[in-house]
């Protein structure tokens, strides 16, 4: 089993920035893609961003385009999510995922077979 562990969350004020990290436990790791999802209280889990592992193609939810940036360090088996200009509506538990199948399904929950435990991001106004 591959374990994914998120870090870098916390409580910040509106307008601040955070960088989330997600590291895979295995020494060698070769997913098709890694992604970030988030789930706010009382809401469904939603797609945030994804990146293919080899080519580095990125896909973003419309709600975070220009605000969040996903990147990866293949040698470190790590994916990052740089979050700028945070708003209270960005408050959620953020989940890291690995797997993926095709470009067309990168934003689909069912495409991923490994998930982190989630990390809390809280943005106050």
């Amino acid at each position: 089993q591959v374990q994914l562990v998120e870090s870098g969350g916390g409580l910040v004020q509106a307008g601040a920035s955070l960088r989330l990290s997600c590291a895979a436990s295995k020494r060698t790791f070769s997913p098709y893609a890694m992604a970030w999802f988030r789930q706010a209280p009382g809401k469904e889990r939603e797609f945030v961003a994804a990146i293919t592992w080899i080519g580095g193609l990125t896909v973003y939810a419309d709600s975070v385009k220009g605000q969040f940036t996903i990147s990866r360090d293949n040698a470190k088996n790590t994916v990052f999510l740089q979050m700028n200009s945070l708003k209270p509506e960005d408050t959620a538990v953020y989940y890291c995922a690995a797997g993926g199948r095709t470009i067309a399904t990168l934003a689909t929950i069912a495409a991923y077979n490994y998930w982190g435990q989630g990390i809390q991001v809280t943005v106050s106004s």
Side-chain angles (χ1 to χ4, degrees):
Q1 184 184 31
V2 175
Q3 294 183 341
L4 304 178
V5 180
E6 301 99 335
S7 62
L11 172 63
V12 298
Q13 291 184 297
S17 297
L18 282 174
R19 179 183 281 109
L20 303 183
S21 299
C22 173
S25 61
K26 287 192 174 181
R27 184 172 175 272
T28 57
F29 189 54
S30 185
Y32 174 74
M34 294 188 74
W36 291 95
F37 292 76
R38 67 185 180 184
Q39 187 166 17
K43 298 183 65 177
E44 294 285 306
R45 183 167 48 181
E46 66 175 358
F47 171 76
V48 176
I51 185 166
T52 62
W53 209 240
I54 296 176
L57 181 147
T58 57
V59 178
Y60 294 94
D62 289 340
S63 60
V64 304
K65 286 181 179 177
Q67 181 188 0
F68 292 1
T69 303
I70 189 170
S71 61
R72 88 280 198 221
D73 185 338
N74 301 64
K76 300 293 185 181
N77 297 336
T78 302
V79 65
F80 306 95
L81 185 68
Q82 177 67 42
M83 306 185 294
N84 297 326
S85 302
L86 284 164
K87 307 169 184 177
E89 48 263 49
D90 294 317
T91 295
V93 175
Y94 284 71
Y95 295 91
C96 175
R101 299 173 182 174
T102 64
I103 295 294
T105 59
L106 284 178
T108 303
I109 292 173
Y112 300 90
N113 55 332
Y114 298 107
W115 292 85
Q117 81 284 359
I119 188 165
Q120 180 70 47
V121 171
T122 302
V123 184
S124 65
S125 60

